[in-house]
Amino acid sequence: MKCTYCGADIPEEQLVCPRCGREVQIVPDYNPLDEVLTAHVKGALDKTMSLEENRKNGSADSNRRRDYTGRQNYTGRQNYTGRQDRGMTGRSRSATGRTQGRTTGHTRTSRMDDRTRSLSSTRSLSREEQAARKRKAEKKRERAKKKRLRLLLILGILLILTVAGGILIYQNSYSGQLRQGYQALEAGNYDDALARFQRAVSRDEERPEAYTGMSQVYIEQDNLDQAEQVFLDALEGQDSNTELYRAAITFYLDTSQEQKVSELLENCSSDRVLRELAQYVSEPPEFSLDEDEVYEDVQALELTGSGTAIYYTTDGSEPDTSSTKYTEPITLNEETTVVKAISVNEEGIPSVTVEKTFQIEFPAIAAPNVTPSTGQYSTSQTIEVEQLEDYEIRYTTDGTMPDSGSELYTGPIDMPEGSTVFTFVYIDKSGRVSQSTTRSYELVY
């Protein structure tokens, strides 16, 4: 099939011309030239046959006319009158025209025959050429199809190789090892999981996810100490790695070891890390008394801090949120007192423990002044003790040391008959006891 617009060959299965891109007409093309040429050829043939018959039938008349014309022409040439010349010339032109018409008719007929034969030949050659071109187009399409198949095959192989290479690269990357590590951890393959996480660390030692995975392996094995050590070892060379600190803090919070968060941050020397993790920083409480000073009387210790609550102990134990909550000053008496305290921030993170020791030593109180002195007496005597303000006097008569429950001295005592041992002490309002004074009396009449 040929394109009606540009004349290009169009394969039968195509609906668009490959040269000009116009749609192919499904109804066969109508070529007015073919119809015109056919009509001309037919008319020429009919006219030729008619002329041939007329020529045969009127050949004698024609000859006579030619002779007559010749004679007239000859006569005309002999007679030089204008009328004869014009008359003969007109008849001569008419005869000549008829002759030329017959010649032209034969020539036109011949040309039409040649054109018809040429058209028929052209049509025949065109059909053969179309068939050849169709076969050629079929082969071309087959070659193109095979080429496309080869190209698709090559592209498919390249795609498979690319995907396989990408998968291999991913599996050996940090993310790939991390993913396989968690898969092994979920399956309970702790050794394989630990090895995967360690390989991930070797790919990128700054990212925290692999360390978290390693700690989870030890958590699953109930080894919190080793799980903690994973982060401590990693932070030794990465003191400014905020995300690694964050992962360690998350580990402490998940394992209910909040008190270790402040210990971790206390050892951090990076101001940037402390700023970025400020929400986890818990400042310890401050003490109102200086532990380097020795106090001579009872003291009231005050604790202050920036957190939401303060907890303390005075028995030497470590404080936590279950210890005594600070609400009022702590009274320190005459003794050595160890006070430990923590402050808890809004995130529930306890600060590091602050421990201070306070020494309270009251000045020594002189022993009571007692009269008379020790000895034997033969006359009745009165025993007197010097009184001191804010002190009471206690005594015993059996040789034991007096205390706050012993006999109260209120005034002079009559010396009893026989041998008696008196012991006297001062006791202040806080219960402090002075040194003692002992007197041994023997009254014999």
Side-chain angles (χ1 to χ4, degrees):
M1 181 184 300
K2 284 186 175 294
C3 177
T4 59
Y5 300 99
C6 64
D9 291 329
I10 302 176
E12 293 182 0
E13 68 275 7
Q14 290 191 13
L15 299 178
V16 179
C17 177
R19 179 184 297 174
C20 66
R22 298 189 180 183
E23 292 187 358
V24 177
Q25 295 180 0
I26 302 300
V27 180
D29 292 339
Y30 169 74
N31 193 346
L33 180 61
D34 293 342
E35 189 172 313
V36 171
L37 291 176
T38 302
H40 276 291
V41 170
K42 184 177 179 181
L45 291 176
D46 293 340
K47 187 175 182 180
T48 301
M49 294 177 63
S50 177
L51 292 174
E52 185 65 24
E53 290 179 359
N54 293 332
R55 186 180 63 80
K56 290 180 178 179
N57 294 330
S59 55
D61 294 336
S62 298
N63 290 331
R64 284 193 297 268
R65 283 196 297 273
R66 282 196 297 271
D67 292 340
Y68 177 77
T69 302
R71 288 192 295 268
Q72 289 295 325
N73 287 337
Y74 174 75
T75 304
R77 284 194 295 270
Q78 294 297 323
N79 189 1
Y80 293 102
T81 63
R83 180 181 297 176
Q84 291 178 344
D85 186 47
R86 283 194 301 270
M88 292 305 293
T89 301
R91 287 192 293 269
S92 177
R93 288 179 180 175
S94 176
T96 303
R98 286 193 297 269
T99 303
Q100 289 179 349
R102 287 194 295 271
T103 304
T104 303
H106 286 294
T107 303
R108 183 179 298 172
T109 301
S110 177
R111 288 179 180 177
M112 293 299 295
D113 291 342
D114 292 340
R115 188 170 183 177
T116 302
R117 286 192 297 271
S118 176
L119 178 61
S120 177
S121 176
T122 300
R123 287 181 178 178
S124 176
L125 291 176
S126 177
R127 286 193 294 270
E128 293 177 359
E129 183 181 0
Q130 288 179 1
R133 288 182 179 181
K134 184 176 180 180
R135 289 192 297 272
K136 185 177 180 181
E138 289 291 339
K139 292 181 180 180
K140 186 176 181 180
R141 283 195 296 271
E142 288 295 328
R143 288 195 299 270
K145 184 177 180 181
K146 292 180 180 179
K147 186 176 180 180
R148 285 195 299 269
L149 290 175
R150 286 195 299 270
L151 181 60
L152 290 175
L153 180 61
I154 293 173
L155 291 176
I157 294 174
L158 291 177
L159 180 60
I160 293 173
L161 292 176
T162 302
V163 172
I167 293 174
L168 183 62
I169 293 174
Y170 171 76
Q171 289 180 343
N172 286 279
S173 66
Y174 178 90
S175 299
Q177 291 296 321
L178 188 68
R179 180 172 178 272
Q180 295 176 70
Y182 276 109
Q183 289 176 344
L185 177 61
E186 185 177 355
N189 301 325
Y190 299 130
D191 291 339
D192 183 34
L194 190 62
R196 297 287 183 181
F197 291 133
Q198 289 173 341
R199 280 198 286 271
V201 170
S202 66
R203 302 291 191 277
D204 190 344
E205 63 178 9
E206 294 184 358
R207 297 176 64 177
E209 297 87 358
Y211 297 107
T212 299
M214 293 171 64
S215 70
Q216 289 181 358
V217 172
Y218 291 118
I219 291 173
E220 292 294 328
Q221 298 174 331
D222 295 325
N223 191 347
L224 287 182
D225 291 337
Q226 189 60 43
E228 177 186 16
Q229 196 61 42
V230 169
F231 294 104
L232 297 180
D233 292 342
L235 286 170
E236 285 186 358
Q238 302 185 62
D239 192 55
S240 60
N241 190 334
T242 302
E243 295 308 314
L244 189 53
Y245 270 102
R246 195 187 304 275
I249 291 172
T250 301
F251 160 73
Y252 284 132
L253 297 179
D254 291 343
T255 55
S256 300
Q257 301 183 81
E258 293 87 355
Q259 71 278 3
K260 290 189 176 182
V261 174
S262 293
E263 296 176 8
L264 178 71
L265 296 177
E266 185 182 32
N267 296 322
C268 178
S269 60
S270 174
D271 293 336
R272 180 177 62 83
V273 172
L274 295 177
R275 286 195 306 269
E276 293 179 355
L277 301 178
Q279 67 184 100
Y280 300 108
V281 176
S282 182
E283 297 293 341
E286 296 181 357
F287 288 63
S288 62
L289 298 178
D290 185 2
E291 65 176 341
D292 295 331
E293 185 177 346
V294 178
Y295 298 93
E296 295 182 351
D297 55 2
V298 178
Q299 298 294 313
L301 175 63
E302 295 182 359
L303 303 179
T304 57
S306 59
T308 59
I310 297 175
Y311 300 88
Y312 72 93
T313 62
T314 58
D315 59 0
S317 62
E318 289 296 323
D320 55 28
T321 53
S322 63
S323 302
T324 303
K325 186 176 182 179
Y326 176 82
T327 57
E328 59 184 7
I330 305 170
T331 300
L332 301 179
N333 292 312
E334 186 186 13
E335 58 185 351
T336 300
T337 305
V338 178
V339 181
K340 295 182 179 181
I342 60 172
S343 177
V344 180
N345 68 5
E346 295 180 354
E347 295 290 332
I349 305 298
S351 68
V352 295
T353 301
V354 179
E355 177 181 339
K356 290 192 177 184
T357 302
F358 299 97
Q359 187 71 32
I360 306 297
E361 295 181 1
F362 295 152
I365 303 174
N369 184 15
V370 181
T371 59
S373 61
T374 297
Q376 291 183 346
Y377 295 91
S378 59
T379 61
S380 180
Q381 300 290 322
T382 300
I383 303 171
E384 296 181 8
V385 181
E386 182 181 1
Q387 294 278 2
L388 296 177
E389 187 178 358
D390 296 330
Y391 287 88
E392 63 182 12
I393 301 172
R394 299 285 178 168
Y395 68 94
T396 62
T397 58
D398 58 1
T400 61
M401 181 65 65
D403 56 23
S404 58
S406 300
E407 191 73 25
L408 178 64
Y409 175 83
T410 58
I413 302 171
D414 292 334
M415 183 181 295
E417 187 177 355
S419 295
T420 307
V421 178
F422 285 86
T423 304
F424 298 91
V425 295
Y426 291 124
I427 299 178
D428 64 12
K429 294 179 180 181
S430 63
R432 293 176 62 201
V433 180
S434 68
Q435 296 179 2
S436 62
T437 299
T438 302
R439 293 287 186 264
S440 178
Y441 299 107
E442 184 177 355
L443 177 61
V444 179
Y445 292 105

